[in-house]
Amino acid sequence: MNSLYQTSIHSLPLLGHGKVRDNYAVGDDKILIVTTDRLSAFDVVMNEPIPGKGKVLNQMSDFWFEKLGHIVPNHLTGVTPESVVAPEEVEQVRGRAVVAKRLKPIMVEAVVRGYIIGSGWKDYQDTGSICGIALPAGLQQAEKLPQPIFTPAAKAELGEHDENISFADMEQRIGADLAAKMRDVAIALYQAAAEYAATRGIIIADTKFEFGLDDNGVMHLMDEVLTADSSRFWPADSYQPGISPPSFDKQFVRDYLETLTWGKTAPAPALPADVIEKTQAKYFEAIERLTGEKLKA
């Protein structure tokens, strides 16, 4: 499968390169978002692409946007990406891009946790709580929480780590009404997605959502949603609390990087071919298990 590390679209104005996505202006009110095969770990972009990863993320997001559209509006416009670029640029967008509404991003990420893992597990071990939310004593690593919790994070600049913040801090940053709406919608999205994923043998341990406002102040779900990059997916058939379960994402890359004496800052170390292949296989397995369909070419 051919890979796309970075786009070179000249028919539209470039807005910027993110860790994974390249954004272009389509008029004044829309954006072309192209999901490349770049991979970031510990907020550092790796030098090698994961072939097909961008198509997996894009098609997985499209699947969830459609399934969850009754809960909150989203950024999709229905405009085909192939129609807004030059003919010689079509292959760069096929299967891996969307034309989205141009929204004003809310600079707080909506993180929902249904299980205790990752930074939440470390926080709990230190304080008995996650982001200031007190939890029952005696929980094990990867254990299901009594109910999902909302733990917002302040969005960082490219290359910096997002910062966990309290809900009170979020209210101060964006206002109490919008903060409450984001929290309630994010939890509803997570619960609906987790219920569906369970029917496919997948546990969604946690996820993050991003929201933006249109010119009328209406909140929209945007960016990516419930992908293997923005969520922890675990196979239900091998899940047990007390250990960190395997996940359908870049865990092979993270595990490899943890064996190196590397400061987790750019430049990134080279990834071996077998780590790239195993990571690619996990992304492909994730979309097939979730949607019941293989990746569209």
Side-chain angles (χ1 to χ4, degrees), residues 151-188:
T151 59
K155 289 171 67 68
E157 295 297 318
L158 185 63
E160 301 295 322
H161 295 281
D162 294 338
E163 175 195 0
N164 291 338
I165 59 174
S166 68
F167 186 72
D169 190 354
M170 179 182 178
E171 288 180 313
Q172 283 193 323
R173 290 171 185 245
I174 68 170
D177 290 346
L178 184 56
K181 184 169 186 178
M182 271 183 69
R183 176 197 61 204
D184 294 348
V185 168
I187 290 174

PDB file of all heavy atoms in Angstrom, residues 151-188:
ATOM      1  N   THR A 151     -12.737  14.438  32.120  1.00  0.00           N
ATOM      2  CA  THR A 151     -11.494  15.033  32.618  1.00  0.00           C
ATOM      3  C   THR A 151     -10.897  15.913  31.515  1.00  0.00           C
ATOM      4  O   THR A 151     -10.143  15.433  30.681  1.00  0.00           O
ATOM      5  CB  THR A 151     -10.489  13.948  33.035  1.00  0.00           C
ATOM      6  OG1 THR A 151     -10.198  13.102  31.915  1.00  0.00           O
ATOM      7  CG2 THR A 151     -11.061  13.090  34.160  1.00  0.00           C
ATOM      8  N   PRO A 152     -11.239  17.187  31.489  1.00  0.00           N
ATOM      9  CA  PRO A 152     -10.805  18.050  30.382  1.00  0.00           C
ATOM     10  C   PRO A 152      -9.296  18.271  30.366  1.00  0.00           C
ATOM     11  O   PRO A 152      -8.608  18.098  31.378  1.00  0.00           O
ATOM     12  CB  PRO A 152     -11.555  19.355  30.659  1.00  0.00           C
ATOM     13  CG  PRO A 152     -11.842  19.346  32.131  1.00  0.00           C
ATOM     14  CD  PRO A 152     -12.041  17.914  32.498  1.00  0.00           C
ATOM     15  N   ALA A 153      -8.816  18.666  29.193  1.00  0.00           N
ATOM     16  CA  ALA A 153      -7.394  18.973  29.027  1.00  0.00           C
ATOM     17  C   ALA A 153      -7.269  20.235  28.186  1.00  0.00           C
ATOM     18  O   ALA A 153      -7.993  20.407  27.202  1.00  0.00           O
ATOM     19  CB  ALA A 153      -6.666  17.813  28.352  1.00  0.00           C
ATOM     20  N   ALA A 154      -6.357  21.106  28.589  1.00  0.00           N
ATOM     21  CA  ALA A 154      -6.096  22.320  27.816  1.00  0.00           C
ATOM     22  C   ALA A 154      -5.235  21.961  26.619  1.00  0.00           C
ATOM     23  O   ALA A 154      -4.226  21.275  26.750  1.00  0.00           O
ATOM     24  CB  ALA A 154      -5.400  23.352  28.697  1.00  0.00           C
ATOM     25  N   LYS A 155      -5.647  22.405  25.427  1.00  0.00           N
ATOM     26  CA  LYS A 155      -4.915  22.093  24.207  1.00  0.00           C
ATOM     27  C   LYS A 155      -3.580  22.835  24.188  1.00  0.00           C
ATOM     28  O   LYS A 155      -3.509  24.022  24.477  1.00  0.00           O
ATOM     29  CB  LYS A 155      -5.730  22.464  22.971  1.00  0.00           C
ATOM     30  CG  LYS A 155      -6.923  21.545  22.745  1.00  0.00           C
ATOM     31  CD  LYS A 155      -7.837  22.049  21.659  1.00  0.00           C
ATOM     32  CE  LYS A 155      -7.187  22.015  20.296  1.00  0.00           C
ATOM     33  NZ  LYS A 155      -6.955  20.634  19.817  1.00  0.00           N
ATOM     34  N   ALA A 156      -2.529  22.083  23.834  1.00  0.00           N
ATOM     35  CA  ALA A 156      -1.187  22.646  23.821  1.00  0.00           C
ATOM     36  C   ALA A 156      -0.770  22.992  22.400  1.00  0.00           C
ATOM     37  O   ALA A 156      -1.391  22.572  21.425  1.00  0.00           O
ATOM     38  CB  ALA A 156      -0.202  21.642  24.423  1.00  0.00           C
ATOM     39  N   GLU A 157       0.293  23.775  22.300  1.00  0.00           N
ATOM     40  CA  GLU A 157       0.884  24.053  20.993  1.00  0.00           C
ATOM     41  C   GLU A 157       1.479  22.778  20.422  1.00  0.00           C
ATOM     42  O   GLU A 157       1.770  21.828  21.154  1.00  0.00           O
ATOM     43  CB  GLU A 157       1.972  25.126  21.129  1.00  0.00           C
ATOM     44  CG  GLU A 157       1.459  26.495  21.564  1.00  0.00           C
ATOM     45  CD  GLU A 157       0.499  27.116  20.572  1.00  0.00           C
ATOM     46  OE1 GLU A 157       0.763  27.017  19.360  1.00  0.00           O
ATOM     47  OE2 GLU A 157      -0.530  27.680  21.006  1.00  0.00           O
ATOM     48  N   LEU A 158       1.687  22.763  19.096  1.00  0.00           N
ATOM     49  CA  LEU A 158       2.253  21.587  18.430  1.00  0.00           C
ATOM     50  C   LEU A 158       3.582  21.212  19.086  1.00  0.00           C
ATOM     51  O   LEU A 158       4.450  22.059  19.260  1.00  0.00           O
ATOM     52  CB  LEU A 158       2.461  21.877  16.950  1.00  0.00           C
ATOM     53  CG  LEU A 158       2.943  20.712  16.087  1.00  0.00           C
ATOM     54  CD1 LEU A 158       1.901  19.600  16.065  1.00  0.00           C
ATOM     55  CD2 LEU A 158       3.241  21.170  14.665  1.00  0.00           C
ATOM     56  N   GLY A 159       3.709  19.927  19.449  1.00  0.00           N
ATOM     57  CA  GLY A 159       4.939  19.456  20.060  1.00  0.00           C
ATOM     58  C   GLY A 159       4.941  19.534  21.574  1.00  0.00           C
ATOM     59  O   GLY A 159       5.832  18.993  22.228  1.00  0.00           O
ATOM     60  N   GLU A 160       3.935  20.200  22.145  1.00  0.00           N
ATOM     61  CA  GLU A 160       3.825  20.288  23.594  1.00  0.00           C
ATOM     62  C   GLU A 160       2.770  19.301  24.091  1.00  0.00           C
ATOM     63  O   GLU A 160       1.923  18.847  23.338  1.00  0.00           O
ATOM     64  CB  GLU A 160       3.439  21.720  24.021  1.00  0.00           C
ATOM     65  CG  GLU A 160       4.420  22.794  23.579  1.00  0.00           C
ATOM     66  CD  GLU A 160       5.777  22.648  24.222  1.00  0.00           C
ATOM     67  OE1 GLU A 160       5.817  22.296  25.406  1.00  0.00           O
ATOM     68  OE2 GLU A 160       6.801  22.873  23.532  1.00  0.00           O
ATOM     69  N   HIS A 161       2.830  18.990  25.380  1.00  0.00           N
ATOM     70  CA  HIS A 161       1.873  18.052  25.961  1.00  0.00           C
ATOM     71  C   HIS A 161       0.607  18.796  26.397  1.00  0.00           C
ATOM     72  O   HIS A 161       0.694  19.869  27.006  1.00  0.00           O
ATOM     73  CB  HIS A 161       2.484  17.337  27.176  1.00  0.00           C
ATOM     74  CG  HIS A 161       3.642  16.457  26.840  1.00  0.00           C
ATOM     75  ND1 HIS A 161       3.493  15.201  26.297  1.00  0.00           N
ATOM     76  CD2 HIS A 161       4.974  16.653  26.957  1.00  0.00           C
ATOM     77  CE1 HIS A 161       4.683  14.652  26.103  1.00  0.00           C
ATOM     78  NE2 HIS A 161       5.600  15.515  26.489  1.00  0.00           N
ATOM     79  N   ASP A 162      -0.568  18.209  26.074  1.00  0.00           N
ATOM     80  CA  ASP A 162      -1.810  18.760  26.604  1.00  0.00           C
ATOM     81  C   ASP A 162      -1.777  18.688  28.121  1.00  0.00           C
ATOM     82  O   ASP A 162      -1.177  17.782  28.699  1.00  0.00           O
ATOM     83  CB  ASP A 162      -3.010  17.985  26.063  1.00  0.00           C
ATOM     84  CG  ASP A 162      -3.186  18.156  24.561  1.00  0.00           C
ATOM     85  OD1 ASP A 162      -2.683  19.148  24.019  1.00  0.00           O
ATOM     86  OD2 ASP A 162      -3.812  17.283  23.944  1.00  0.00           O
ATOM     87  N   GLU A 163      -2.444  19.639  28.758  1.00  0.00           N
ATOM     88  CA  GLU A 163      -2.394  19.737  30.224  1.00  0.00           C
ATOM     89  C   GLU A 163      -3.764  19.397  30.811  1.00  0.00           C
ATOM     90  O   GLU A 163      -4.764  20.037  30.473  1.00  0.00           O
ATOM     91  CB  GLU A 163      -1.984  21.165  30.626  1.00  0.00           C
ATOM     92  CG  GLU A 163      -2.022  21.426  32.116  1.00  0.00           C
ATOM     93  CD  GLU A 163      -1.973  22.918  32.456  1.00  0.00           C
ATOM     94  OE1 GLU A 163      -1.907  23.746  31.537  1.00  0.00           O
ATOM     95  OE2 GLU A 163      -2.033  23.218  33.662  1.00  0.00           O
ATOM     96  N   ASN A 164      -3.809  18.395  31.689  1.00  0.00           N
ATOM     97  CA  ASN A 164      -5.047  18.080  32.387  1.00  0.00           C
ATOM     98  C   ASN A 164      -5.433  19.256  33.275  1.00  0.00           C
ATOM     99  O   ASN A 164      -4.594  19.814  33.989  1.00  0.00           O
ATOM    100  CB  ASN A 164      -4.892  16.817  33.246  1.00  0.00           C
ATOM    101  CG  ASN A 164      -4.752  15.565  32.413  1.00  0.00           C
ATOM    102  OD1 ASN A 164      -5.147  15.531  31.249  1.00  0.00           O
ATOM    103  ND2 ASN A 164      -4.181  14.523  32.986  1.00  0.00           N
ATOM    104  N   ILE A 165      -6.712  19.630  33.222  1.00  0.00           N
ATOM    105  CA  ILE A 165      -7.195  20.736  34.047  1.00  0.00           C
ATOM    106  C   ILE A 165      -8.458  20.294  34.777  1.00  0.00           C
ATOM    107  O   ILE A 165      -9.095  19.314  34.404  1.00  0.00           O
ATOM    108  CB  ILE A 165      -7.485  22.001  33.200  1.00  0.00           C
ATOM    109  CG1 ILE A 165      -8.540  21.706  32.121  1.00  0.00           C
ATOM    110  CG2 ILE A 165      -6.200  22.535  32.573  1.00  0.00           C
ATOM    111  CD1 ILE A 165      -8.987  22.941  31.333  1.00  0.00           C
ATOM    112  N   SER A 166      -8.829  21.041  35.797  1.00  0.00           N
ATOM    113  CA  SER A 166     -10.056  20.743  36.528  1.00  0.00           C
ATOM    114  C   SER A 166     -11.265  21.296  35.764  1.00  0.00           C
ATOM    115  O   SER A 166     -11.120  22.166  34.889  1.00  0.00           O
ATOM    116  CB  SER A 166     -10.008  21.369  37.926  1.00  0.00           C
ATOM    117  OG  SER A 166     -10.045  22.785  37.823  1.00  0.00           O
ATOM    118  N   PHE A 167     -12.443  20.799  36.107  1.00  0.00           N
ATOM    119  CA  PHE A 167     -13.645  21.309  35.469  1.00  0.00           C
ATOM    120  C   PHE A 167     -13.842  22.778  35.821  1.00  0.00           C
ATOM    121  O   PHE A 167     -14.286  23.576  34.972  1.00  0.00           O
ATOM    122  CB  PHE A 167     -14.864  20.478  35.885  1.00  0.00           C
ATOM    123  CG  PHE A 167     -16.117  20.856  35.149  1.00  0.00           C
ATOM    124  CD1 PHE A 167     -16.273  20.521  33.807  1.00  0.00           C
ATOM    125  CD2 PHE A 167     -17.139  21.557  35.773  1.00  0.00           C
ATOM    126  CE1 PHE A 167     -17.416  20.876  33.106  1.00  0.00           C
ATOM    127  CE2 PHE A 167     -18.296  21.911  35.086  1.00  0.00           C
ATOM    128  CZ  PHE A 167     -18.425  21.569  33.744  1.00  0.00           C
ATOM    129  N   ALA A 168     -13.477  23.169  37.047  1.00  0.00           N
ATOM    130  CA  ALA A 168     -13.598  24.575  37.443  1.00  0.00           C
ATOM    131  C   ALA A 168     -12.706  25.461  36.580  1.00  0.00           C
ATOM    132  O   ALA A 168     -13.100  26.567  36.188  1.00  0.00           O
ATOM    133  CB  ALA A 168     -13.240  24.731  38.918  1.00  0.00           C
ATOM    134  N   ASP A 169     -11.515  24.966  36.271  1.00  0.00           N
ATOM    135  CA  ASP A 169     -10.603  25.707  35.389  1.00  0.00           C
ATOM    136  C   ASP A 169     -11.215  25.820  33.992  1.00  0.00           C
ATOM    137  O   ASP A 169     -11.161  26.878  33.349  1.00  0.00           O
ATOM    138  CB  ASP A 169      -9.249  24.991  35.336  1.00  0.00           C
ATOM    139  CG  ASP A 169      -8.169  25.806  34.636  1.00  0.00           C
ATOM    140  OD1 ASP A 169      -8.488  26.872  34.086  1.00  0.00           O
ATOM    141  OD2 ASP A 169      -7.001  25.373  34.639  1.00  0.00           O
ATOM    142  N   MET A 170     -11.813  24.739  33.519  1.00  0.00           N
ATOM    143  CA  MET A 170     -12.469  24.759  32.213  1.00  0.00           C
ATOM    144  C   MET A 170     -13.586  25.806  32.185  1.00  0.00           C
ATOM    145  O   MET A 170     -13.737  26.553  31.211  1.00  0.00           O
ATOM    146  CB  MET A 170     -13.029  23.373  31.901  1.00  0.00           C
ATOM    147  CG  MET A 170     -13.750  23.264  30.569  1.00  0.00           C
ATOM    148  SD  MET A 170     -14.410  21.588  30.330  1.00  0.00           S
ATOM    149  CE  MET A 170     -15.248  21.764  28.753  1.00  0.00           C
ATOM    150  N   GLU A 171     -14.370  25.864  33.260  1.00  0.00           N
ATOM    151  CA  GLU A 171     -15.454  26.852  33.334  1.00  0.00           C
ATOM    152  C   GLU A 171     -14.908  28.272  33.241  1.00  0.00           C
ATOM    153  O   GLU A 171     -15.502  29.134  32.581  1.00  0.00           O
ATOM    154  CB  GLU A 171     -16.232  26.676  34.640  1.00  0.00           C
ATOM    155  CG  GLU A 171     -17.105  25.421  34.674  1.00  0.00           C
ATOM    156  CD  GLU A 171     -17.837  25.296  35.987  1.00  0.00           C
ATOM    157  OE1 GLU A 171     -17.208  25.466  37.052  1.00  0.00           O
ATOM    158  OE2 GLU A 171     -19.056  25.035  35.952  1.00  0.00           O
ATOM    159  N   GLN A 172     -13.786  28.502  33.886  1.00  0.00           N
ATOM    160  CA  GLN A 172     -13.178  29.835  33.841  1.00  0.00           C
ATOM    161  C   GLN A 172     -12.701  30.182  32.438  1.00  0.00           C
ATOM    162  O   GLN A 172     -12.780  31.322  32.001  1.00  0.00           O
ATOM    163  CB  GLN A 172     -11.998  29.914  34.814  1.00  0.00           C
ATOM    164  CG  GLN A 172     -12.392  30.056  36.275  1.00  0.00           C
ATOM    165  CD  GLN A 172     -11.209  30.446  37.140  1.00  0.00           C
ATOM    166  OE1 GLN A 172     -10.097  30.009  36.916  1.00  0.00           O
ATOM    167  NE2 GLN A 172     -11.462  31.278  38.137  1.00  0.00           N
ATOM    168  N   ARG A 173     -12.198  29.176  31.720  1.00  0.00           N
ATOM    169  CA  ARG A 173     -11.632  29.406  30.391  1.00  0.00           C
ATOM    170  C   ARG A 173     -12.693  29.657  29.328  1.00  0.00           C
ATOM    171  O   ARG A 173     -12.514  30.507  28.458  1.00  0.00           O
ATOM    172  CB  ARG A 173     -10.775  28.205  29.968  1.00  0.00           C
ATOM    173  CG  ARG A 173      -9.474  28.062  30.754  1.00  0.00           C
ATOM    174  CD  ARG A 173      -8.794  26.744  30.425  1.00  0.00           C
ATOM    175  NE  ARG A 173      -7.607  26.522  31.231  1.00  0.00           N
ATOM    176  CZ  ARG A 173      -6.357  26.449  30.757  1.00  0.00           C
ATOM    177  NH1 ARG A 173      -6.149  26.581  29.455  1.00  0.00           N
ATOM    178  NH2 ARG A 173      -5.342  26.236  31.557  1.00  0.00           N
ATOM    179  N   ILE A 174     -13.797  28.888  29.369  1.00  0.00           N
ATOM    180  CA  ILE A 174     -14.757  28.966  28.257  1.00  0.00           C
ATOM    181  C   ILE A 174     -16.173  29.317  28.696  1.00  0.00           C
ATOM    182  O   ILE A 174     -17.052  29.474  27.853  1.00  0.00           O
ATOM    183  CB  ILE A 174     -14.782  27.646  27.452  1.00  0.00           C
ATOM    184  CG1 ILE A 174     -15.364  26.500  28.287  1.00  0.00           C
ATOM    185  CG2 ILE A 174     -13.394  27.293  26.942  1.00  0.00           C
ATOM    186  CD1 ILE A 174     -15.635  25.237  27.461  1.00  0.00           C
ATOM    187  N   GLY A 175     -16.397  29.453  30.011  1.00  0.00           N
ATOM    188  CA  GLY A 175     -17.736  29.774  30.517  1.00  0.00           C
ATOM    189  C   GLY A 175     -18.459  28.535  31.022  1.00  0.00           C
ATOM    190  O   GLY A 175     -18.306  27.436  30.469  1.00  0.00           O
ATOM    191  N   ALA A 176     -19.248  28.716  32.064  1.00  0.00           N
ATOM    192  CA  ALA A 176     -19.891  27.582  32.738  1.00  0.00           C
ATOM    193  C   ALA A 176     -20.894  26.863  31.836  1.00  0.00           C
ATOM    194  O   ALA A 176     -20.964  25.631  31.828  1.00  0.00           O
ATOM    195  CB  ALA A 176     -20.575  28.058  34.013  1.00  0.00           C
ATOM    196  N   ASP A 177     -21.682  27.602  31.077  1.00  0.00           N
ATOM    197  CA  ASP A 177     -22.711  26.970  30.244  1.00  0.00           C
ATOM    198  C   ASP A 177     -22.096  26.089  29.165  1.00  0.00           C
ATOM    199  O   ASP A 177     -22.526  24.941  28.957  1.00  0.00           O
ATOM    200  CB  ASP A 177     -23.614  28.024  29.606  1.00  0.00           C
ATOM    201  CG  ASP A 177     -24.514  28.721  30.610  1.00  0.00           C
ATOM    202  OD1 ASP A 177     -24.631  28.215  31.753  1.00  0.00           O
ATOM    203  OD2 ASP A 177     -25.100  29.767  30.260  1.00  0.00           O
ATOM    204  N   LEU A 178     -21.087  26.617  28.453  1.00  0.00           N
ATOM    205  CA  LEU A 178     -20.453  25.837  27.388  1.00  0.00           C
ATOM    206  C   LEU A 178     -19.703  24.645  27.973  1.00  0.00           C
ATOM    207  O   LEU A 178     -19.710  23.550  27.385  1.00  0.00           O
ATOM    208  CB  LEU A 178     -19.500  26.726  26.583  1.00  0.00           C
ATOM    209  CG  LEU A 178     -18.834  26.082  25.360  1.00  0.00           C
ATOM    210  CD1 LEU A 178     -19.879  25.519  24.401  1.00  0.00           C
ATOM    211  CD2 LEU A 178     -17.941  27.099  24.648  1.00  0.00           C
ATOM    212  N   ALA A 179     -19.060  24.834  29.121  1.00  0.00           N
ATOM    213  CA  ALA A 179     -18.338  23.736  29.761  1.00  0.00           C
ATOM    214  C   ALA A 179     -19.296  22.601  30.112  1.00  0.00           C
ATOM    215  O   ALA A 179     -19.004  21.422  29.872  1.00  0.00           O
ATOM    216  CB  ALA A 179     -17.614  24.231  31.021  1.00  0.00           C
ATOM    217  N   ALA A 180     -20.460  22.937  30.669  1.00  0.00           N
ATOM    218  CA  ALA A 180     -21.442  21.916  31.044  1.00  0.00           C
ATOM    219  C   ALA A 180     -21.975  21.196  29.806  1.00  0.00           C
ATOM    220  O   ALA A 180     -22.141  19.970  29.817  1.00  0.00           O
ATOM    221  CB  ALA A 180     -22.587  22.549  31.829  1.00  0.00           C
ATOM    222  N   LYS A 181     -22.202  21.951  28.730  1.00  0.00           N
ATOM    223  CA  LYS A 181     -22.710  21.332  27.505  1.00  0.00           C
ATOM    224  C   LYS A 181     -21.675  20.382  26.917  1.00  0.00           C
ATOM    225  O   LYS A 181     -22.008  19.258  26.505  1.00  0.00           O
ATOM    226  CB  LYS A 181     -23.089  22.398  26.487  1.00  0.00           C
ATOM    227  CG  LYS A 181     -23.713  21.819  25.223  1.00  0.00           C
ATOM    228  CD  LYS A 181     -24.337  22.884  24.336  1.00  0.00           C
ATOM    229  CE  LYS A 181     -25.076  22.236  23.176  1.00  0.00           C
ATOM    230  NZ  LYS A 181     -25.744  23.211  22.315  1.00  0.00           N
ATOM    231  N   MET A 182     -20.416  20.817  26.879  1.00  0.00           N
ATOM    232  CA  MET A 182     -19.353  19.949  26.364  1.00  0.00           C
ATOM    233  C   MET A 182     -19.254  18.663  27.168  1.00  0.00           C
ATOM    234  O   MET A 182     -19.137  17.567  26.616  1.00  0.00           O
ATOM    235  CB  MET A 182     -18.004  20.670  26.392  1.00  0.00           C
ATOM    236  CG  MET A 182     -17.690  21.449  25.141  1.00  0.00           C
ATOM    237  SD  MET A 182     -16.049  22.216  25.203  1.00  0.00           S
ATOM    238  CE  MET A 182     -14.979  20.774  25.124  1.00  0.00           C
ATOM    239  N   ARG A 183     -19.298  18.806  28.487  1.00  0.00           N
ATOM    240  CA  ARG A 183     -19.211  17.630  29.360  1.00  0.00           C
ATOM    241  C   ARG A 183     -20.358  16.664  29.095  1.00  0.00           C
ATOM    242  O   ARG A 183     -20.141  15.457  28.902  1.00  0.00           O
ATOM    243  CB  ARG A 183     -19.226  18.078  30.827  1.00  0.00           C
ATOM    244  CG  ARG A 183     -19.229  16.931  31.847  1.00  0.00           C
ATOM    245  CD  ARG A 183     -19.653  17.439  33.213  1.00  0.00           C
ATOM    246  NE  ARG A 183     -21.004  17.988  33.182  1.00  0.00           N
ATOM    247  CZ  ARG A 183     -21.467  18.888  34.051  1.00  0.00           C
ATOM    248  NH1 ARG A 183     -20.691  19.358  35.009  1.00  0.00           N
ATOM    249  NH2 ARG A 183     -22.717  19.335  33.948  1.00  0.00           N
ATOM    250  N   ASP A 184     -21.573  17.172  29.067  1.00  0.00           N
ATOM    251  CA  ASP A 184     -22.743  16.300  28.914  1.00  0.00           C
ATOM    252  C   ASP A 184     -22.754  15.617  27.548  1.00  0.00           C
ATOM    253  O   ASP A 184     -23.069  14.428  27.435  1.00  0.00           O
ATOM    254  CB  ASP A 184     -24.022  17.104  29.131  1.00  0.00           C
ATOM    255  CG  ASP A 184     -24.151  17.617  30.559  1.00  0.00           C
ATOM    256  OD1 ASP A 184     -23.380  17.169  31.434  1.00  0.00           O
ATOM    257  OD2 ASP A 184     -25.003  18.503  30.795  1.00  0.00           O
ATOM    258  N   VAL A 185     -22.410  16.371  26.501  1.00  0.00           N
ATOM    259  CA  VAL A 185     -22.396  15.801  25.154  1.00  0.00           C
ATOM    260  C   VAL A 185     -21.277  14.766  25.029  1.00  0.00           C
ATOM    261  O   VAL A 185     -21.470  13.697  24.444  1.00  0.00           O
ATOM    262  CB  VAL A 185     -22.250  16.917  24.093  1.00  0.00           C
ATOM    263  CG1 VAL A 185     -21.937  16.325  22.726  1.00  0.00           C
ATOM    264  CG2 VAL A 185     -23.520  17.752  24.026  1.00  0.00           C
ATOM    265  N   ALA A 186     -20.108  15.083  25.570  1.00  0.00           N
ATOM    266  CA  ALA A 186     -18.972  14.155  25.474  1.00  0.00           C
ATOM    267  C   ALA A 186     -19.288  12.830  26.158  1.00  0.00           C
ATOM    268  O   ALA A 186     -18.982  11.750  25.630  1.00  0.00           O
ATOM    269  CB  ALA A 186     -17.721  14.782  26.083  1.00  0.00           C
ATOM    270  N   ILE A 187     -19.903  12.882  27.322  1.00  0.00           N
ATOM    271  CA  ILE A 187     -20.253  11.649  28.031  1.00  0.00           C
ATOM    272  C   ILE A 187     -21.311  10.863  27.256  1.00  0.00           C
ATOM    273  O   ILE A 187     -21.243   9.637  27.139  1.00  0.00           O
ATOM    274  CB  ILE A 187     -20.710  11.958  29.473  1.00  0.00           C
ATOM    275  CG1 ILE A 187     -19.504  12.426  30.311  1.00  0.00           C
ATOM    276  CG2 ILE A 187     -21.350  10.730  30.118  1.00  0.00           C
ATOM    277  CD1 ILE A 187     -19.866  12.901  31.708  1.00  0.00           C
ATOM    278  N   ALA A 188     -22.287  11.569  26.683  1.00  0.00           N
ATOM    279  CA  ALA A 188     -23.315  10.896  25.881  1.00  0.00           C
ATOM    280  C   ALA A 188     -22.705  10.229  24.653  1.00  0.00           C
ATOM    281  O   ALA A 188     -23.072   9.094  24.298  1.00  0.00           O
ATOM    282  CB  ALA A 188     -24.392  11.895  25.463  1.00  0.00           C
TER     283      ALA A 188
END
